């Protein structure tokens, strides 16, 4: 499925802005849900951090998808979008008392806990309210995912989760808490993972751990949550618009040994929303340097930080020109040398006023925008309203 950009409409909108192809979003969600439904115990939660635009959250709610949140603000955004509290999981190493209290009051499904002091805080706040909080232990599986160092999370050196050696202590602690019920195990190895073997490795860690818990402590928990991480093809936003969910879920169906009655939860972010979004920007100037030609655009690293922060590649297209290609460094207006979207990219001849689309920006694009240099946060438009 190709994103067809409504160029005539774009000409009348102030740039930069995010554009979401809602047809593609719906097709992506439908495909993910259809493939997950082949296994009757697979549940999808949307990782709100990828994009918390209310219209995107509304699309999740319409499809009955739950939410994976990492802050009190995300829990509130999910609930405001109508996602039922009983479909919300809440992770994060630094949940504050305020965030925990609000989540308890909202009645969320589960806290994914990441340390002993955190579970003590949840116990105390649940006790004050006369409630029992459901918790899952986020286990650090020590799997080295093939992805950018800044977005691996499942290594022993990362701040996330509880290491194997501390598991017994944490379980003892939960068992001693009257206001906590242990309902599951949670894992997440990283993001933008395209090597399916990484997920196979996670499955074998989960299997080993489940075996140990059953044999040593007689524990079988009803919920296993394997996090998110499925990557998208930034190099092929149209040809690979919908990720291969069939292959992804099959990895788990084939490799994860679920115990009887166990439910498997996924926290998908990027794979659900990444390809439906583009950052639309205008060429402000074309500047010739001594050895380079720059297309200076009106979007900056504050609108889409991924290239500057992770060296990430986003395909760029000139929607206004079909001329012969030339080489450009596409750069923003921010006072930072790292404010570069792509170097040496071949684009149809660019001129002042041309509209460029920076593709595959639906995940961790608008959500990570910031106001450096007193810049306004980017607006967003949906294909439903301007297409
Ligand atoms: N679950 C947990 C516990 C996570 O930490 C994450 C992402 C997800 C689920 C969703 O992962 P996904 O399916 O989107 O890969 N800003 C970075 C990505 C950071 C990912 C953080 N955690 C980027 O722009 O690439």
């Amino acid at each position: 499925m190709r994103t067809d950009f409504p160029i005539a409409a774009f000409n009348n909108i102030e740039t930069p802005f995010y554009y979401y192809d809602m047809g593609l979003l719906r097709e992506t969600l439908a495909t993910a849900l259809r493939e997950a439904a082949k296994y009757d115990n697979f549940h999808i939660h949307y990782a709100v951090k990828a994009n918390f635009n209310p219209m995107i959250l509304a699309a999740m709610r319409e499809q009955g998808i739950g939410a994976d949140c990492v802050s009190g603000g995300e829990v509130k955004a999910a609930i405001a979008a109508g996602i039922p509290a009983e479909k919300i999981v809440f992770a994060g190493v630094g949940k504050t008392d305020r965030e925990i209290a609000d989540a308890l009051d909202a009645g969320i499904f589960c806290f994914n806990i990441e340390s002993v002091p955190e579970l003590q805080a949840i116990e105390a706040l649940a006790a004050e309210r006369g409630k029992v909080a459901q918790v899952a232990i986020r286990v650090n599986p020590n799997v080295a995912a093939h992805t950018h160092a800044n977005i691996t999370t499942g290594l022993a050196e990362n701040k996330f989760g509880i290491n194997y050696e501390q598991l017994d202590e944490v379980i003892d602690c939960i068992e001693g808490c009257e206001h906590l019920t242990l309902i599951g195990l949670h894992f997440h190895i990283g993001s933008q993972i395209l090597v399916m073997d990484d997920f196979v490795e996670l499955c074998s860690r989960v299997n080993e751990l489940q075996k140990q818990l059953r044999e040593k402590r007689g524990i079988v928990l009803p919920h296993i949550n394997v996090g998110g991480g499925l990557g998208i093809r930034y190099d092929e936003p149209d040809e690979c618009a919908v990720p291969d969910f069939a292959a992804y879920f099959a990895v788990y169906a084939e490799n994860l040994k679920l115990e009887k009655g166990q439910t498997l939860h996924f926290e998908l972010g990027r794979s659900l929303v990444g390809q439906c979004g583009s950052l639309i920007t205008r060429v402000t100037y074309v500047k010739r340097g001594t050895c380079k030609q720059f297309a200076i655009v009106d979007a900056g690293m504050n609108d889409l930080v991924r290239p500057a922060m992770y060296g990430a590649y986003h395909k760029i297209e000139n929607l206004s020109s079909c001329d012969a290609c030339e080489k450009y460094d596409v750069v923003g207006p921010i006072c930072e040398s790292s404010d570069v979207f792509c170097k040496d990219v071949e684009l149809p001849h660019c001129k002042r006023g041309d509209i460029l689309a920076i593709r595959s920006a639906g995940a961790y694009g608008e959500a990570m925008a910031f106001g450096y240099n007193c810049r306004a946060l980017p607006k967003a438009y949906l294909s439903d309203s301007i297409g």
Side-chain angles (χ1 to χ4, degrees):
M1 180 164 175
R2 276 197 75 82
T3 289
D4 288 317
F5 292 102
I7 312 277
F10 284 0
N11 279 325
N12 300 318
I13 302 175
E14 198 179 328
T15 46
F17 61 87
Y18 277 90
Y19 173 74
Y20 297 114
D21 178 342
M22 297 306 276
L24 176 58
L25 176 62
R26 285 186 204 105
E27 187 188 329
T28 307
L29 300 185
T31 309
L33 286 165
R34 191 179 61 237
E35 293 304 329
K38 291 187 176 158
Y39 314 98
D40 56 11
N41 49 357
F42 283 20
H43 284 257
I44 302 178
H45 301 259
Y46 167 59
V48 173
K49 63 177 85 64
N51 191 324
F52 52 84
N53 183 301
M55 300 312 293
I56 300 276
L57 294 180
M60 300 296 161
R61 191 245 307 131
E62 276 162 24
Q63 301 291 333
I65 295 176
D68 154 43
C69 301
V70 289
S71 72
E74 287 189 1
V75 173
K76 284 196 181 125
I79 289 174
I83 296 176
E86 60 272 16
K87 287 189 181 174
I88 295 179
V89 296
F90 184 11
V93 292
K95 302 178 193 79
T96 64
D97 285 10
R98 179 77 268 148
E99 291 176 313
I100 294 169
D102 287 348
L104 283 168
D105 292 340
I108 65 161
F109 170 58
C110 186
F111 291 85
N112 294 329
I113 60 112
E114 311 214 12
S115 67
V116 170
E118 180 196 338
L119 70 85
Q120 288 165 341
I122 300 176
E123 163 71 3
L125 289 158
E128 271 174 25
R129 289 167 169 70
K131 290 198 170 185
V132 174
Q134 303 204 110
V135 301
I137 301 174
R138 176 164 179 181
V139 179
N140 187 332
N142 202 13
V143 171
H146 294 85
T147 186
H148 191 277
N150 287 7
I151 52 175
T152 63
T153 43
L155 280 175
E157 69 192 44
N158 296 133
K159 68 180 174 184
F160 300 101
I162 287 178
N163 295 331
Y164 286 121
E165 312 82 66
Q166 297 163 312
L167 256 185
D168 271 315
E169 178 200 342
V170 172
I171 296 174
D172 289 343
C173 194
I174 295 174
E175 285 178 347
C177 289
E178 267 179 52
H179 300 272
L180 301 182
T181 309
L182 180 60
I183 63 161
L185 298 173
H186 174 228
F187 306 83
H188 176 74
I189 55 172
S191 198
Q192 183 52 19
I193 297 169
L194 291 166
V195 177
M196 289 298 128
D197 281 353
D198 291 347
F199 298 119
V200 174
E201 199 176 331
L202 171 62
C203 289
S204 62
R205 297 293 158 92
V206 179
N207 293 341
E208 278 162 33
L209 190 60
Q210 288 237 80
K211 184 163 177 279
Q212 274 178 28
L213 286 179
R214 194 185 51 238
E215 288 175 358
K216 278 211 212 140
R217 306 195 55 141
I219 294 180
V220 176
L221 297 167
H223 299 280
I224 300 293
N225 181 335
V226 287
L230 176 62
I232 60 169
R233 290 285 302 273
Y234 284 93
D235 54 335
E236 299 282 12
D238 291 314
E239 294 73 4
C240 303
V242 178
D244 192 351
F245 293 108
Y248 174 70
F249 290 125
V251 164
Y252 285 97
E254 285 160 21
N255 295 283
L256 197 67
K257 294 184 196 130
L258 285 181
E259 304 280 348
K260 203 162 172 284
Q262 275 185 332
T263 301
L264 187 60
H265 299 259
F266 297 88
E267 300 172 340
L268 298 178
R270 187 188 320 263
S271 53
L272 296 182
V273 296
Q275 296 290 34
C276 78
S278 296
L279 177 60
I280 307 298
T281 180
R282 269 192 182 81
V283 175
T284 312
Y285 302 110
V286 175
K287 168 173 167 173
R288 275 164 226 286
T290 43
C291 54
K292 287 268 187 186
Q293 181 166 234
F294 299 97
I296 303 171
V297 298
D298 60 7
M301 63 191 284
N302 70 297
D303 299 300
L304 175 66
V305 75
R306 302 193 70 260
M309 191 161 169
Y310 313 111
Y313 171 76
H314 285 258
K315 188 171 179 179
I316 302 181
E317 288 169 15
N318 184 344
L319 304 182
S320 307
S321 166
C322 301
D323 297 346
C325 282
E326 291 172 36
K327 231 181 228 182
Y328 299 91
D329 279 13
V330 178
V331 302
I334 309 285
C335 295
E336 296 282 341
S337 313
S338 55
D339 185 25
V340 175
F341 288 111
C342 201
K343 285 189 175 167
D344 293 326
V345 56
E346 295 271 349
L347 288 176
H349 175 77
C350 289
K351 58 187 181 309
R352 179 170 161 82
D354 279 0
I355 291 183
L356 308 189
I358 306 180
R359 306 292 309 275
S360 312
Y364 309 109
E366 191 185 354
M368 293 178 77
F370 53 99
Y372 187 41
N373 285 186
C374 274
R375 286 171 58 84
L377 291 178
K379 291 205 170 69
Y381 296 91
L382 308 184
S383 55
D384 285 353
S385 43
I386 61 166

